[in-house]
Amino acid sequence: MPGTYSVPGKALKKQLEPKLDKYLDELHQFCAIDTKSGFAEGIDATVELVKSLVADRNWAIREWPDADAGAGIEVAATGGNPNGARIMLVVHHDTVHPVGSAESWKPARNGDNLIGPGVIDVKSGLLSSLYAIGALEYLDLLGDIAKISLVSTPDEEADMRVSKVMLEELAPEYDVALSVEAANPDGSIVTSRKGGSTYTLKVQGQPAHASRPHDGANAIHALAMQVVAIQGLQAFRPEVTVNVGIIEGGTADNTVPEHARAVIDVRMTGHDGDTDAIDAAMESIGGNPYVHGTTSTITRDLYFPPMPQTPKITALADLAVECAADLGIDVVYGPRGGITLANLLAGHGLPTLDGLGPVGGGEHSQDEYLVVPSIVPRIEMLALFCYAISKDFQRES
């Protein structure tokens, strides 16, 4: 029996399947630009490439320029129903790969895989979003949509300073957010992600000659004791993880160290009270000098809210699975580690689904790859899913 969305699904297949070669050519254009976080020249060049690819379309463009991070961009197509669904397809155009990668490491095929900097994290997701919106518009399938947009931020791989500003402004303008980050390696959709906090612990001691340690106060000694206490918080709340990732201190081996520092990463799933409990535990340890003559302070530098699997997210995921089935694709959903823009959007109360990009892996490494045969089916699924959302949509009063 044909599925609910089989007819538009067949139309999307017919429209998108001949476009793979064009897609790969454009993906190579994106990968030819260095876009390491903070390299504003390359980030801005990517925004200009996006604008050139949609120049012949009547799509609205907004930019968020930033001298340090480079620009963010929103590209919005208007649908036929002002009261219909407002759908955000969200990605980022910065990568972790160093400046020079675009020249020294050009994308290359290895069987079904395309290996190169940013191919899966997440330049293919950016391009797939444009193709999905374009196919829906070409096939006149935007009738029940108010607007559908690509939103791409410039600093997701860094501190998300610009991303936070953009998404705080944009979240109220949308009803649903779909993150076109890479799918899980098995193709599954992401319905939940842990949140995270980063803390910096600083210890002030008293310098002295190493031969007379009693004249000083050893900041590294105090820090070491605090690190042991902090690592002891591992799983003190359900599914909370704690990792002391950086320690620094001292100036010379014959000097009692005056300063020491640690950076701590904490991840949580979003159980009620997690954030307050973690803050309190960190403050209790960080505010205790442990060694006489030392003082210490701890600060929370970054916070990203969890993305729990809410009933609305489950309903979205079930609809995505239905659309995939109508295209002959088997898809499941579940949790994934790591923090993305989806965390920020979920923190603003926007129903958000993640992992809707092509299949691949090896993110942040020289083995980063994109599974080429997954490209077109995942665009078809994304486009059909947006169409299905518009058909099922009712805005809450």
Side-chain angles (χ1 to χ4, degrees):
M1 178 182 295
T4 306
Y5 305 108
S6 294
V7 172
K10 288 178 180 178
L12 286 164
K13 278 178 172 284
K14 184 176 180 180
Q15 167 66 13
L16 288 164
E17 286 179 353
K19 296 187 179 297
L20 179 60
D21 288 343
K22 180 174 182 287
Y23 178 104
L24 290 172
D25 177 68
E26 291 173 349
L27 182 59
H28 276 77
Q29 293 179 49
F30 279 105
C31 292
I33 303 172
D34 284 313
T35 53
K36 179 174 175 57
S37 304
F39 183 54
E41 178 182 338
I43 299 293
D44 289 341
T46 299
V47 167
E48 292 304 313
L49 177 55
V50 170
K51 289 160 63 177
S52 73
L53 293 179
V54 302
D56 61 345
R57 301 180 182 273
N58 189 29
W59 293 356
I61 294 174
R62 279 195 283 177
E63 295 183 54
W64 283 258
D66 188 272
D68 297 319
I73 188 170
E74 177 197 43
V75 179
T78 302
N81 181 3
N83 297 314
R86 302 167 299 176
I87 303 171
M88 177 195 299
L89 308 183
V90 63
V91 295
H92 58 93
H93 47 283
D94 64 319
T95 67
V96 301
H97 301 291
V99 175
S101 298
E103 180 58 33
S104 64
W105 181 27
K106 298 181 186 296
R109 286 290 289 267
N110 181 7
D112 281 342
N113 294 343
L114 181 69
I115 301 171
V119 290
I120 196 64
D121 191 14
V122 64
K123 295 184 179 188
S124 57
L126 188 161
L127 194 56
S128 294
S129 300
L130 292 176
Y131 271 64
I133 297 170
L136 288 168
E137 183 179 68
Y138 180 83
L139 294 170
D140 198 24
L141 296 176
L142 296 179
D144 292 305
I145 289 176
K147 71 172 177 177
I148 181 168
S149 306
L150 163 71
V151 173
S152 189
T153 75
D155 59 354
E156 191 266 1
E157 300 288 10
D159 59 4
M160 299 200 206
R161 177 178 56 83
V162 179
S163 299
K164 288 178 179 178
V165 171
M166 288 179 63
L167 299 184
E168 182 177 11
E169 179 179 343
L170 287 169
E173 300 178 13
Y174 289 89
D175 303 297
V176 174
L178 307 178
S179 173
V180 198
E181 286 273 351
N184 281 320
D186 63 356
S188 58
I189 295 167
V190 180
T191 49
S192 66
R193 289 186 181 271
K194 284 188 173 184
S197 297
T198 301
Y199 298 84
T200 299
L201 172 61
K202 294 181 180 179
V203 180
Q204 175 70 47
Q206 295 292 330
H209 195 279
S211 65
R212 295 182 57 82
H214 51 278
D215 288 342
N218 193 312
I220 290 178
H221 182 193
L223 181 73
M225 296 177 72
Q226 289 170 311
V227 164
V228 170
I230 287 170
Q231 286 292 158
L233 296 174
Q234 200 73 261
F236 85 112
R237 302 270 296 185
E239 299 181 85
V240 168
T241 60
V242 181
N243 181 65
V244 179
I246 298 172
I247 56 172
E248 301 171 335
T251 55
D253 62 353
N254 64 350
T255 303
V256 173
E258 182 180 8
H259 303 290
R261 170 180 173 268
V263 180
I264 305 105
D265 179 282
V266 180
R267 304 294 171 104
M268 75 292 287
T269 55
H271 296 289
D272 287 344
D274 272 356
T275 302
D276 289 343
I278 293 164
D279 279 347
M282 287 293 178
E283 185 60 37
S284 176
I285 295 169
N288 184 345
Y290 279 75
V291 170
H292 179 71
T294 65
T295 59
S296 63
T297 59
I298 191 163
T299 58
R300 188 176 74 185
D301 304 313
L302 295 173
Y303 171 71
F304 299 98
M307 174 189 159
Q309 184 174 320
T310 64
K312 288 184 179 180
I313 288 177
T314 301
L316 278 175
D318 287 338
L319 182 59
V321 169
E322 181 182 352
C323 291
D326 285 350
L327 291 165
I329 304 169
D330 292 326
V331 171
V332 296
Y333 56 78
R336 187 172 184 176
I339 292 170
T340 72
L341 300 170
N343 291 75
L344 298 181
L345 290 163
H348 287 296
L350 194 61
T352 304
L353 206 58
D354 203 350
L356 288 159
V359 178
E363 296 94 327
H364 297 198
S365 78
Q366 290 290 310
D367 299 318
E368 182 173 347
Y369 70 93
L370 163 67
V371 179
V372 173
S374 76
I375 293 171
V376 172
R378 297 294 289 199
I379 300 172
E380 294 167 357
M381 186 181 78
L382 177 62
L384 187 61
F385 183 32
C386 292
Y387 172 80
I389 289 170
S390 74
K391 288 296 183 183
D392 282 10
F393 177 75
Q394 288 184 329
R395 183 167 294 127
E396 295 180 359
S397 57

